[in-house]
DNA sequence: AAATCATGCAACCGCCTACAA
DNA sequence: GTTGTAGGCGGTTGCATGATT
């Protein structure tokens, strides 16, 4: 492992890597990630390959903004299951756990912040996160969801095989750009007024309890890009609808390791 | 027009679980 | 029953980009 670890690539994936990964997943299925990482010649870990596939390259991915229906579903399922993102994602075909997690974090935090402002417009109070937590916990004020962000990135208008062709033409995907900007993350947290995720969740929970209209007032959303159709099997386990989980199983290409091994890849 | 701030999201990290040896 | 390994998951970080000053 040691020497291999040093050789491992990290960071944004290149177009070439994507193409390579897709073709190898096409050949061997989306199960044996370590194996795929090795035979593909990608200097990536199996984990990294899996993540890239699941969150970005998977043909079943739905691009575009969450629909109001999806938002409602997320809220509903989160209230039921908490931060079980992958579980929630399974109920939202085409959405990844990462996407839902990011969505929840950004949109719900935004909502919490707006509520916070509504409750305590005074800057001095607003900058005090602990004070905020105690305040919100005692204020059942109902706000509508401030989800009016309708801007879209061209990146999300592509996907699947369609994306693979776009890849070669150039695109706006920041993942392929060289890192040059200054990191602002630290300042973000200060502005949030939250010291930890716990605080955020606490507030979000309160918001959910307070706000029954959470999913119905999401503002207007632009159209959702249809799921891309790739030229190979989509019969896989990632985007199953309710009740399918028990029916469909295994790899979409080689249900077991034996098949791959038969081809001399073990 | 340039600088700074704010936001969205891709990708990494570390832990946990399942399973094979 | 134990151990090692791979895959899966949730939390977090860091970068690119849009918005604002």
């Amino acid at each position: 492992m040691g020497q291999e670890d040093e050789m491992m690539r990290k960071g944004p994936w290149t177009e070439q890597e994507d193409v390579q990964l897709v073709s190898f997943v096409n050949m061997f299925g989306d199960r044996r990630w370590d194996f795929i990482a090795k035979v593909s010649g990608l200097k990536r870990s199996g984990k990294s390959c899996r993540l890239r596939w699941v969150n970005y390259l998977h043909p079943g991915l739905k691009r575009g903004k969450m629909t109001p229906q999806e938002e409602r579903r997320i809220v509903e399922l989160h209230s039921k299951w908490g931060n079980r993102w992958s579980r929630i994602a399974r109920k939202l075909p085409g959405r990844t756990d990462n996407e839902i997690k990011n969505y929840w974090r950004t949109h719900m935090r935004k909502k919490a912040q707006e509520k916070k402002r509504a409750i305590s417009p005074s800057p001095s109070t607003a900058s005090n996160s602990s004070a905020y937590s105690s305040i919100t916990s005692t204020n059942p004020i109902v706000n509508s969801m401030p989800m009016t962000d309708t801007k879209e990135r061209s990146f999300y208008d592509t996907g699947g095989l369609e994306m693979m062709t776009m890849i070669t033409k150039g695109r706006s995907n920041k993942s392929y750009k060289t890192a040059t900007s200054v990191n602002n993350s630290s300042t973000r947290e200060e502005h949030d007024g939250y010291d930890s995720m716990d605080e955020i969740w606490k507030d979000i929970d309160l918001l959910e309890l307070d706000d029954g209209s959470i999913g119905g007032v999401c503002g207007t959303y632009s159209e959702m890009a249809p799921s891309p159709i790739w030229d190979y099997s989509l019969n896989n386990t990632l985007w199953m609808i309710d009740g399918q989980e028990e029916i469909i199983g295994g790899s979409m290409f080689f249900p077991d390791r034996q098949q791959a091994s038969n081809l001399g890849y073990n």
Side-chain angles (χ1 to χ4, degrees):
Chain A
M1 285 276 275
Q3 200 175 4
E4 278 181 31
D5 279 346
E6 290 163 28
M7 302 283 283
M8 286 293 180
R9 259 180 59 76
K10 283 186 182 179
W13 282 64
T14 65
E15 301 168 13
Q16 181 55 38
E17 284 178 313
D18 278 349
V19 171
Q20 225 167 316
L21 179 58
V22 167
S23 69
F24 275 85
V25 171
N26 195 353
M27 282 192 280
F28 301 112
D30 58 353
R31 288 286 157 178
R32 303 182 58 201
W33 294 110
D34 252 41
F35 170 72
I36 287 172
K38 282 193 182 89
V39 300
S40 65
L42 290 165
K43 290 178 170 55
R44 298 278 184 171
S45 66
K47 275 187 173 186
S48 182
C49 291
R50 175 188 164 271
L51 208 65
R52 184 62 175 171
W53 173 258
V54 167
N55 288 331
Y56 188 82
L57 297 171
H58 194 282
L61 288 178
K62 195 186 281 180
R63 304 289 177 174
K65 299 192 73 62
M66 295 283 180
T67 65
Q69 289 77 24
E70 286 174 316
E71 287 167 356
R72 263 195 297 275
R73 194 92 172 107
I74 291 171
V75 171
E76 174 194 330
L77 294 174
H78 185 270
S79 68
K80 209 154 96 183
W81 295 329
N83 298 0
R84 313 312 301 262
W85 305 117
S86 64
R87 193 171 178 182
I88 293 171
R90 279 196 281 272
K91 300 295 179 188
L92 288 154
R95 300 297 184 184
T96 69
D97 55 352
N98 211 29
E99 200 176 0
I100 293 169
K101 184 166 58 181
N102 281 333
Y103 165 79
W104 186 266
R105 184 177 159 85
T106 59
H107 287 80
M108 292 302 161
R109 183 174 55 187
K110 195 189 291 180
K111 188 182 180 191
Q113 281 183 271
E114 299 230 343
K115 187 164 187 171
K116 171 182 168 182
R117 274 188 222 111
I119 293 163
S120 54
S122 157
S124 59
T125 312
S127 63
N128 186 324
S129 62
S130 58
Y132 169 43
S133 288
S134 59
I135 289 169
T136 51
S137 65
T138 56
N139 279 273
I141 293 174
V142 176
N143 281 349
S144 61
M145 215 169 171
M147 295 181 186
T148 52
D149 177 9
T150 55
K151 63 177 185 288
E152 288 192 29
R153 294 188 182 196
S154 59
F155 167 65
Y156 283 107
D157 295 332
T158 67
L161 202 60
E162 181 182 273
M163 182 205 72
M164 296 307 290
T165 58
M166 298 293 285
I167 270 174
T168 58
K169 297 177 187 169
R171 57 189 196 180
S172 63
N173 180 9
K174 61 193 179 186
S175 295
Y176 294 107
K177 297 187 176 168
T178 317
T180 54
S181 77
V182 177
N183 170 34
N184 293 324
S185 299
S186 57
T187 57
R188 187 192 309 171
E189 292 306 319
E190 289 167 19
H191 288 291
D192 289 344
Y194 294 99
D195 292 332
S196 68
M197 284 297 289
D198 283 349
E199 285 183 42
I200 297 172
W201 299 133
K202 214 181 295 171
D203 285 333
I204 288 169
D205 286 344
L206 287 166
L207 291 170
E208 280 181 39
L209 289 172
D210 290 349
D211 192 348
S213 63
I214 197 161
V217 287
C218 301
T220 55
Y221 281 82
S222 53
E223 80 290 342
M224 204 171 61
S227 300
I229 306 298
W230 285 34
D231 64 348
Y232 54 85
S233 171
L234 299 184
N235 182 20
N236 55 68
T237 58
L238 280 170
W239 315 121
M240 294 177 293
I241 58 174
D242 292 11
Q244 282 186 311
E245 303 167 79
E246 291 78 25
I247 300 169
I248 305 171
S251 160
M252 58 178 165
F253 298 105
F254 301 110
D256 57 34
R257 298 181 180 203
Q258 189 59 48
Q259 284 182 282
S261 126
N262 289 343
L263 290 172
Y265 282 96
N266 270 347

